[in-house]
């Protein structure tokens, strides 16, 4: 049975501010001043805007604000690609 957007929103609201478990599929965007995988909120938003990392925003009907959730596997894949590039370039980025 698939979860409705309302169910996902309720579950996301109960998630900790930073889901830092390697097993988490969806991670909350960190609050200002906090980091996720050593990345700031601004850096993560830039990665999302540039299409490097997948994310979605859950909103209740009629609301402007919502919860931004980052697709954990896409963030980890991005970090692994960066590591691979660094290793191929002899440690230089």
């Amino acid at each position: 049975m698939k979860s409705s957007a309302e169910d996902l929103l309720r579950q996301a609201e109960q998630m900790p501010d930073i889901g830092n478990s390697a097993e988490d599929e969806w991670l909350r965007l960190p609050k200002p001043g906090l980091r996720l995988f050593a990345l700031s909120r601004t850096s993560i938003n830039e990665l999302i805007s540039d299409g490097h990392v997948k994310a979605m925003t859950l909103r209740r009907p009629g609301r402007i604000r919502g919860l931004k959730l980052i697709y954990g596997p896409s963030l980890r894949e991005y970090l692994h690609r960066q590591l691979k590039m660094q290793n191929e370039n002899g440690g230089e980025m």
Side-chain angles (χ1 to χ4, degrees), residues 67-84:
L67 281 173
K68 185 174 278 189
L69 297 176
I70 303 153
Y71 187 56
S74 72
L75 179 56
R76 284 186 288 279
E77 288 170 12
Y78 171 79
L79 294 173
H80 285 288
R81 284 193 308 271
Q82 295 303 306
L83 178 61
K84 183 178 178 183

Side-chain angles (χ1 to χ4, degrees), residues 4-92:
S4 70
E6 192 72 22
D7 291 337
L8 285 173
L9 186 56
R10 265 191 241 102
Q11 290 171 12
E13 287 173 337
Q14 295 172 6
M15 292 171 70
D17 287 335
I18 300 177
N20 54 8
S21 167
E23 304 302 318
D24 289 342
E25 184 173 12
W26 292 98
L27 309 166
R28 283 185 76 167
L29 185 67
K31 292 186 179 188
L34 298 179
R35 294 180 176 268
L36 177 64
F37 293 114
L39 297 171
S40 70
R41 178 183 181 97
T42 301
S43 295
I44 294 170
N45 276 322
E46 287 173 356
L47 292 172
I48 293 166
S49 294
D50 293 344
H52 298 295
V53 175
K54 296 177 185 174
M56 67 177 202
T57 302
L58 290 176
R59 292 184 186 93
R60 294 186 193 275
R63 298 280 177 102
I64 295 172
R65 297 175 63 189
L67 281 173
K68 185 174 278 189
L69 297 176
I70 303 153
Y71 187 56
S74 72
L75 179 56
R76 284 186 288 279
E77 288 170 12
Y78 171 79
L79 294 173
H80 285 288
R81 284 193 308 271
Q82 295 303 306
L83 178 61
K84 183 178 178 183
M85 285 175 36
Q86 184 177 356
N87 288 339
E88 289 171 355
N89 293 329
E92 296 180 20

